[in-house]
Amino acid sequence: MAVIDKIEIPVDIEKWRPIMVIVNPKSGSGAGKQLLRNFRAHLHPAQVVDVLKSNIAASLRWIDEHPNVDVRILIAGGDGTICSALDQIDTLSRRIPVAVLPLGTGNDLSRLLKWGKKCDGDIDVIKLMEDIQEAEVTLVDRWTIDAESQKKLGVRLQSNKTLSMTNYVSVGVDACVTLGMQNTRESIPRAMSSRLLNKFLFFTFGTKDVFERVCKGLNERIDLYLDDVHVNLPDIEGLIFLNIPYWGAGVKPWATYNDSHRQECDDEMIEVFAVTSSFHIAQMQIGLASPLCIGQAKHAKLVFKGNHSFPMQSDGEAWVNSAGTVLISHKCKTAMLRKAEKQTTGCGMFF
């Protein structure tokens, strides 16, 4: 064997399909830390990347340096970890198939790819590696969100923001709930953080908004353009731009409209729907209501009128967006791994 960058390359490279694992040990109420230990017990140290201690881009560099090696990647973490890791993977010179292990709260991308709605740290690593080897490659669109702040007296009200989106981006009531959760979590010691706490916070801030209605009249304070065409909005409190079928921890909002406006994850189209309140969201989560269908588009633009600011969120990262313009445009297609319905053993080498 030849040793390159501390990873042993077998002479018979055609039978070798290594798996690199990117783990956030803080995710999953301790599950991430346990997973990190389990992966390190079975894989070469250079194949296991701790996002808190290692540079993801540097860890992936050897993939470009060895284009003949058939590599697969596993990301174990929440939406934020998955999004930042995919940003680095998308810069590689070739598409590398990626699986995700759900350690967050919503885990909607994992649901789409059949890896489950949650994962504990005590899993059968060997079986998981075999499942990844047998998984099917599917393409998923990713999008660029450009939030440009308005200038006042020649000075921007806030810095411009550019980020990537895989699942969905929204403005209004659901982002307001996410922002409240995010701010509260940041003030709580890490030892007290858990999925149960996240769900409790979601319920708390959702219930709070039922009474406060801070996003009431959203439709009067923004202009929406889909493929450069202005769209008249009904009376709403939240607007969501959806890339995958799942949203809000398992809700399938576009299922009602799929027959007439089919949703695909690789068609470079984004689905847009609206909600009227946080109570409307709660009804959708238990199957008692449907969203308001707005349309589909290749690109979208939001214009915030006057000096209004509203909360926004993209794949779980929330912020307050000041007056200005938000552009949503297609970024790329990423190769993802969908767990096969029937898994078999006897896979190639992944160590």
Side-chain angles (χ1 to χ4, degrees):
M1 286 186 172
V3 178
I4 302 176
D5 290 343
K6 300 181 180 180
I7 296 180
E8 296 181 346
I9 309 294
V11 175
D12 189 3
I13 197 173
E14 293 182 357
K15 296 182 179 180
W16 188 52
R17 183 193 277 168
I19 295 174
M20 289 200 69
V21 181
I22 300 171
V23 185
N24 185 346
K26 286 187 176 181
S27 298
S29 308
K33 187 177 295 185
Q34 187 175 356
L35 278 170
L36 194 62
R37 290 195 297 266
N38 289 342
F39 286 128
R40 283 174 170 167
H42 292 87
L43 299 176
H44 190 286
Q47 289 176 254
V48 183
V49 180
D50 180 346
V51 299
L52 301 181
K53 297 181 179 179
S54 304
N55 183 291
I56 296 177
S59 301
L60 298 177
R61 191 175 300 140
W62 71 273
I63 294 177
D64 273 345
E65 294 173 351
H66 306 287
N68 295 326
V69 178
D70 183 9
V71 184
R72 294 192 164 194
I73 295 175
L74 171 66
I75 306 172
D79 288 338
T81 301
I82 292 171
C83 189
S84 60
L86 287 178
D87 281 345
Q88 297 298 328
I89 294 168
D90 286 340
T91 64
L92 297 173
S93 60
R94 56 190 170 116
R95 283 180 177 152
I96 304 298
V98 180
V100 296
L101 206 56
L103 297 182
T105 304
N107 302 317
D108 288 307
L109 183 60
S110 178
R111 294 169 196 263
L112 166 69
L113 299 173
K114 308 300 183 184
W115 297 104
K117 59 183 180 180
K118 68 176 182 178
C119 174
D120 297 321
D122 187 18
I123 63 172
D124 186 340
V125 172
I126 296 298
K127 179 63 166 63
L128 175 62
M129 295 296 103
E130 291 174 349
D131 287 349
I132 293 172
Q133 295 285 9
E134 294 294 327
E136 305 163 353
V137 178
T138 184
L139 294 179
V140 175
D141 290 323
R142 300 194 73 220
W143 299 77
T144 297
I145 314 300
D146 285 309
E148 183 175 345
S149 175
Q150 187 182 67
K151 287 184 177 180
K152 192 171 185 178
L153 300 177
V155 179
R156 292 195 182 278
L157 299 179
Q158 69 181 118
S159 300
N160 293 343
K161 188 180 186 74
T162 300
L163 64 161
S164 302
M165 179 271 283
T166 308
N167 301 348
Y168 37 80
V169 61
S170 64
V171 57
V173 62
D174 76 316
C176 184
V177 174
T178 302
L179 182 64
M181 290 174 57
Q182 181 174 292
N183 292 339
T184 303
R185 278 198 308 243
E186 289 173 354
S187 65
I188 294 176
R190 176 60 61 175
M192 296 177 60
S193 180
S194 68
R195 286 174 176 152
L196 183 61
L197 175 62
N198 289 341
K199 292 180 179 180
F200 172 75
L201 291 175
F202 184 86
F203 173 79
T204 300
F205 285 101
T207 303
K208 179 182 177 184
D209 187 76
V210 168
F211 298 100
E212 295 184 352
R213 305 290 295 273
V214 295
C215 296
K216 185 175 176 60
L218 174 66
N219 51 293
E220 298 174 355
R221 304 177 195 179
I222 61 172
D223 282 325
L224 171 66
Y225 297 85
L226 298 181
D227 293 338
D228 301 321
V229 177
H230 182 262
V231 178
N232 291 319
L233 294 171
D235 186 11
I236 61 172
E237 293 188 19
L239 192 64
I240 297 94
F241 301 83
L242 184 68
N243 183 49
I244 64 174
Y246 293 94
W247 165 82
V251 179
K252 300 182 76 173
W254 204 254
T256 306
Y257 312 103
N258 214 22
D259 290 339
S260 57
H261 300 82
R262 186 163 182 80
Q263 180 185 34
E264 301 288 352
C265 294
D266 62 347
D267 60 357
E268 300 184 21
M269 296 277 286
I270 198 164
E271 286 67 42
V272 187
F273 70 93
V275 293
T276 58
S277 65
S278 57
F279 184 66
H280 185 194
I281 294 175
Q283 288 179 307
M284 289 173 58
Q285 290 179 321
I286 59 176
L288 294 180
S290 298
L292 304 179
C293 173
I294 303 300
Q296 294 173 301
K298 294 283 187 181
H299 56 88
K301 179 171 74 172
L302 277 173
V303 178
F304 289 73
K305 299 179 183 179
N307 294 319
H308 294 296
S309 296
F310 272 102
M312 293 194 68
Q313 72 93 13
S314 176
D315 289 354
E317 178 188 344
W319 71 96
V320 176
N321 201 80
S322 67
T325 302
V326 176
L327 301 176
I328 303 172
S329 58
H330 187 261
K331 177 184 178 183
C332 65
K333 295 180 188 289
T334 297
M336 305 297 295
L337 290 169
R338 186 193 302 270
K339 187 176 181 181
E341 295 295 331
K342 293 183 179 179
Q343 301 292 359
T344 60
T345 57
C347 306
M349 297 180 292
F350 47 81
F351 300 103

